[in-house]
Amino acid sequence: MATTHRENLKSQYPWAQSPLIVCAPMRLIATCPLANAVTRAGGLGFLGAGTDVSTLSEMLKEATTSFQKTPLPKTPDGILPIGVGFICWGADLSVTLSVIEAAPLKPAAAWLFAPQDPKELLCWTEGIRKASNGLTKIWIQVGTVASGSELAKSCKPDVLVTQGADAGGHGLVQSSSIVTLLPECVDDLARGGFGHIPLIATGGIMDGRGVAAALALGASGVCMGTRFLASPEAVISNGYRNAIVQARDGGVTTARTTVYDKVRGTHGWPESYNARGVLNQSFWDSQKGMSEEENAKLYAEAVKMGDEGWGEKGRMTTYAGTGVGLVKRVMPAGEIVQEVLRDSSRRLVAVSSRL
Amino acid sequence: MATTHRENLKSQYPWAQSPLIVCAPMRLIATCPLANAVTRAGGLGFLGAGTDVSTLSEMLKEATTSFQKTPLPKTPDGILPIGVGFICWGADLSVTLSVIEAAPLKPAAAWLFAPQDPKELLCWTEGIRKASNGLTKIWIQVGTVASGSELAKSCKPDVLVTQGADAGGHGLVQSSSIVTLLPECVDDLARGGFGHIPLIATGGIMDGRGVAAALALGASGVCMGTRFLASPEAVISNGYRNAIVQARDGGVTTARTTVYDKVRGTHGWPESYNARGVLNQSFWDSQKGMSEEENAKLYAEAVKMGDEGWGEKGRMTTYAGTGVGLVKRVMPAGEIVQEVLRDSSRRLVAVSSRL
């Protein structure tokens, strides 16, 4: 059983190195440059389609052109070696299916997150499998043990992504870290006969140490979001990138909240979700009782300030995980992948050799 | 540097195996039977003096008698191979110092937690070092990167305990898990010249997988609380123990709250702390707006129900971490220590050999 889920993952993404290093499908941030760089470095990059699939066709075309021009060895026929992430409560399924059906190369994976009702995931799963002739693997993100086992049973996903509470951006209001979520999911899936499904850990993984820990806990691979924000390929402003590099001690300088969605006018997330970001004036003013309207107005003014609108004293939304203090410099995304692969391996060998 | 802090820990507790497995100084729960069992199995047991040191002298006498009668090999002269945990906002320092001064064998470690003001920890540190002729090592528990580095500088503790948000019972209202807290503490301490201080990870570690992960993240040892609740040596009712074994999916079935302190009439915790427990009627009623007074009254009635007062539908406080779902059966504390030592080693060897 322990071998099966890893071999399973390797056969799904034969170009990738082991353990699988994934870049989160961050909405508006993870586009072709980031996804391509991660995949070409031996990982698996994701495009963040998010809640809006109107640009999906264009994004897939751009990626397809890149991989047709410079193919990646070991990519199976008909497969685009990058994935796409969907925020299911907002993304249009029928448009998504048309785009996938029309695509000459099918995305290697579709990452499904945050449906209004978990039952909708079955339509997404079946629809994408059909539209892609089974070439697009189904990834489902979960934050609890129970939902992991229920969705394993109903959707039979190819991969489950287990997100812990340290994660930046959107996730469950209430959850544990991967320290407990991951091993309990492993055990519960095995008991239910789903031990072959590979688990990708996410939430707080920043470097080789986090990757090594995730593997020890039972993951077959990891996904990082915050770490990749500090890459030139991430589509974010310098203000955001600087705020990430400067923040530290994320357990107390970030928080899970709905404030940052509200000031930006993002509506529609199911109530069980909020998002973790670096604390700034929008947060503190909300804590002091400022109205949503006033806070949104001040946010709109901060937008006009450009890079000056960011940071602890700014108001711009800086989604990031608790590990933000471990990001010390900006590095090309491909180098991040190679560094964490090398460091996680070294770390595991060093720690195990001492025992 | 990486070697120094581990050798440092081994020299402090020469009877113990590596990595160091510690039992949390759970107030009222961790008394001589649990502390002795953990130490005799190759770990380090702690007595939970907590906020009340009136029984400390008796507890130390009992432990001393045990180790004088059946000595543990490799215990240095004058040392009782168990530690004591103090909740500093409530515990009386002068009584503590008198007891330690009078003790024929000095406790191997004093674990200091939750002072009203962090500055008080210097009095505790200096007082205990003097009263024990330097035989009692100073452990300080932290939950943020900044406090770890500040206390390293001011108190020069022998050990820092880094507690993540998954931990059961009391901890910081706001914190990350050990996934990010631990490596950032390691880096920050090293930058400040305190890389020699060993870190003990706590919060969500339940079995060999959690221990392996903590070591990968940079810990020299681990502390478990919730796991040891499911041992016969823990001084808890069967109702509490059963509730621990039955709970699962702790990310959503436990929460950090002050409700459980309030219904029990526990007052005095600094505002930056609350405690994680299994959700039950006391919690749900509080969420629905029940007054503290009414909730406390219903709690008092539940106390009279004995073991029936526990569980999801009960009202009795069931402090536990998010990993509670990984506790599947009651085992002697010594066997828990041996099992996690064996499993963590196997896990690290298995994971590293695959890379």
Side-chain angles (χ1 to χ4, degrees):
Chain A
M1 191 73 84
T3 309
T4 315
H5 61 81
R6 284 189 311 277
E7 288 175 351
N8 206 342
L9 199 62
K10 188 71 195 164
S11 73
Q12 285 179 35
Y13 317 100
W15 65 84
Q17 293 187 53
S18 181
L20 189 64
I21 308 294
V22 174
C23 175
M26 297 175 281
R27 188 175 76 94
L28 306 175
I29 296 171
T31 63
C32 284
L34 182 54
N36 289 5
V38 170
T39 285
R40 291 196 186 276
L44 177 60
F46 272 81
L47 300 168
T51 48
D52 176 13
V53 294
S54 65
T55 60
L56 178 59
S57 179
E58 277 311 304
M59 283 202 290
L60 287 180
K61 263 183 210 157
E62 185 184 340
T64 300
T65 303
S66 162
F67 285 100
Q68 281 174 335
K69 197 174 155 195
T70 317
L72 196 69
K74 299 192 197 168
T75 311
D77 282 350
I79 300 259
L80 176 68
I82 60 173
V84 185
F86 301 95
I87 297 172
C88 297
W89 64 258
D92 187 305
L93 176 56
S94 63
V95 173
T96 299
L97 297 183
S98 309
V99 172
I100 292 176
E101 206 165 339
L105 296 182
K106 309 302 184 196
W111 171 325
L112 310 178
F113 177 43
Q116 199 61 251
D117 179 336
K119 291 195 186 80
E120 297 161 19
L121 290 175
L122 191 56
C123 300
W124 277 83
T125 299
E126 291 177 348
I128 291 172
R129 283 190 170 140
K130 195 174 162 207
S132 71
N133 294 319
L135 293 176
T136 300
K137 300 298 176 187
I138 302 298
W139 291 36
I140 295 183
Q141 177 176 340
V142 297
T144 68
V145 177
S147 63
S149 287
E150 282 158 20
L151 290 164
K153 198 173 171 184
S154 60
C155 295
K156 301 188 172 47
D158 301 288
V159 166
L160 280 169
V161 181
T162 51
Q163 186 194 43
D166 293 291
H170 288 86
L172 292 181
V173 172
Q174 187 77 332
S175 65
S176 70
S177 81
I178 58 168
V179 177
T180 58
L181 177 63
L182 199 48
E184 196 179 344
C185 279
V186 167
D187 293 352
D188 208 55
L189 287 166
R191 269 193 297 272
F194 298 100
H196 59 282
I197 300 179
L199 297 180
I200 300 291
T202 193
I205 297 163
M206 308 303 296
D207 58 24
R209 294 172 288 190
V211 175
L215 298 178
L217 292 165
S220 297
V222 304
C223 170
M224 300 189 292
T226 304
R227 177 69 193 270
F228 285 113
L229 291 178
S231 73
E233 292 91 344
V235 184
I236 59 176
S237 69
N238 285 330
Y240 191 168
R241 202 176 272 110
N242 291 340
I244 294 297
V245 173
Q246 280 158 24
R248 47 177 294 184
D249 219 349
V252 279
T253 62
T254 70
R256 303 204 70 87
T257 174
T258 56
V259 169
Y260 298 126
D261 274 346
K262 286 176 184 160
V263 295
R264 300 165 95 194
T266 303
H267 302 291
W269 279 91
E271 278 195 2
S272 51
Y273 296 87
N274 61 7
R276 185 181 288 282
V278 178
L279 303 184
N280 65 20
Q281 284 307 316
S282 299
F283 180 84
W284 297 120
D285 283 340
S286 163
Q287 292 283 95
K288 286 177 198 150
M290 182 182 279
S291 73
E292 199 177 312
E293 202 179 6
E294 174 70 7
N295 216 336
K297 203 180 110 195
L298 292 174
Y299 175 87
E301 285 168 20
V303 171
K304 297 176 197 152
M305 295 168 65
D307 289 338
E308 300 299 306
W310 304 81
E312 277 173 57
K313 290 173 183 169
R315 312 194 76 89
M316 300 297 292
T317 298
T318 312
Y319 283 139
T322 66
V324 66
L326 288 161
V327 182
K328 292 296 180 195
R329 63 190 187 94
V330 176
M331 277 170 67
E335 289 182 22
I336 292 174
V337 173
Q338 288 160 357
E339 183 200 271
V340 300
L341 277 168
R342 186 181 64 235
D343 288 356
S344 60
S345 171
R346 281 185 190 164
R347 168 62 59 144
L348 282 167
V349 169
V351 174
S352 66
S353 71
R354 294 200 304 257
L355 295 176
Chain B
M1 191 73 84
T3 310
T4 316
H5 61 81
R6 283 190 312 277
E7 288 175 351
N8 205 342
L9 198 63
K10 189 71 196 165
S11 73
Q12 286 179 35
Y13 317 100
W15 65 85
Q17 293 187 52
S18 181
L20 189 64
I21 308 294
V22 174
C23 175
M26 297 175 281
R27 188 175 76 95
L28 306 175
I29 296 170
T31 62
C32 284
L34 182 53
N36 288 5
V38 170
T39 286
R40 290 194 185 278
L44 177 60
F46 272 81
L47 300 168
T51 48
D52 176 11
V53 294
S54 64
T55 59
L56 178 58
S57 179
E58 277 311 304
M59 283 202 290
L60 287 180
K61 263 182 208 157
E62 187 185 338
T64 300
T65 302
S66 163
F67 285 100
Q68 280 174 335
K69 198 174 154 195
T70 317
L72 195 69
K74 298 192 197 168
T75 311
D77 283 350
I79 300 261
L80 177 67
I82 61 173
V84 184
F86 301 96
I87 296 172
C88 296
W89 64 259
D92 187 305
L93 176 55
S94 63
V95 172
T96 299
L97 297 183
S98 309
V99 171
I100 292 177
E101 205 166 340
L105 295 181
K106 309 303 184 196
W111 171 325
L112 310 178
F113 176 44
Q116 200 61 251
D117 179 337
K119 291 197 187 77
E120 296 161 19
L121 290 174
L122 192 56
C123 300
W124 278 84
T125 299
E126 291 178 347
I128 291 172
R129 283 189 170 142
K130 195 173 162 207
S132 71
N133 294 317
L135 293 176
T136 300
K137 300 298 177 189
I138 302 298
W139 291 36
I140 295 182
Q141 178 176 337
V142 297
T144 67
V145 177
S147 63
S149 287
E150 283 158 20
L151 289 164
K153 197 171 172 186
S154 59
C155 296
K156 300 186 172 48
D158 300 288
V159 166
L160 280 169
V161 180
T162 50
Q163 186 194 42
D166 293 292
H170 288 85
L172 292 181
V173 172
Q174 187 78 332
S175 63
S176 71
S177 82
I178 57 167
V179 176
T180 57
L181 177 63
L182 199 49
E184 196 179 345
C185 278
V186 167
D187 293 351
D188 208 55
L189 287 166
R191 269 194 296 271
F194 298 101
H196 59 282
I197 300 179
L199 297 180
I200 301 291
T202 193
I205 298 162
M206 307 304 296
D207 57 25
R209 294 171 288 190
V211 175
L215 298 179
L217 291 165
S220 298
V222 305
C223 171
M224 299 189 293
T226 304
R227 177 69 194 269
F228 285 114
L229 291 177
S231 73
E233 292 91 344
V235 183
I236 60 176
S237 69
N238 285 329
Y240 191 167
R241 202 175 272 110
N242 292 341
I244 294 298
V245 173
Q246 280 158 23
R248 49 177 292 181
D249 219 350
V252 277
T253 62
T254 70
R256 306 205 67 88
T257 173
T258 56
V259 170
Y260 297 126
D261 275 346
K262 286 176 183 160
V263 294
R264 303 163 93 192
T266 303
H267 302 290
W269 279 92
E271 277 193 3
S272 51
Y273 297 88
N274 61 8
R276 184 181 290 280
V278 178
L279 302 184
N280 65 19
Q281 284 306 316
S282 299
F283 179 85
W284 297 119
D285 283 339
S286 163
Q287 292 283 96
K288 286 177 201 149
M290 182 183 280
S291 73
E292 199 177 312
E293 203 179 4
E294 175 69 8
N295 215 336
K297 203 180 110 193
L298 292 173
Y299 175 87
E301 285 168 20
V303 172
K304 298 177 197 151
M305 295 168 65
D307 290 338
E308 300 299 306
W310 304 81
E312 277 172 58
K313 289 173 182 169
R315 311 194 76 89
M316 301 297 293
T317 299
T318 311
Y319 284 140
T322 65
V324 67
L326 289 161
V327 182
K328 292 295 180 194
R329 63 190 188 95
V330 176
M331 279 171 66
E335 289 182 22
I336 293 174
V337 173
Q338 287 159 358
E339 184 199 271
V340 300
L341 277 168
R342 187 182 63 235
D343 289 354
S344 59
S345 171
R346 279 185 191 164
R347 167 64 58 146
L348 282 168
V349 169
V351 174
S352 65
S353 71
R354 295 199 304 257
L355 295 176

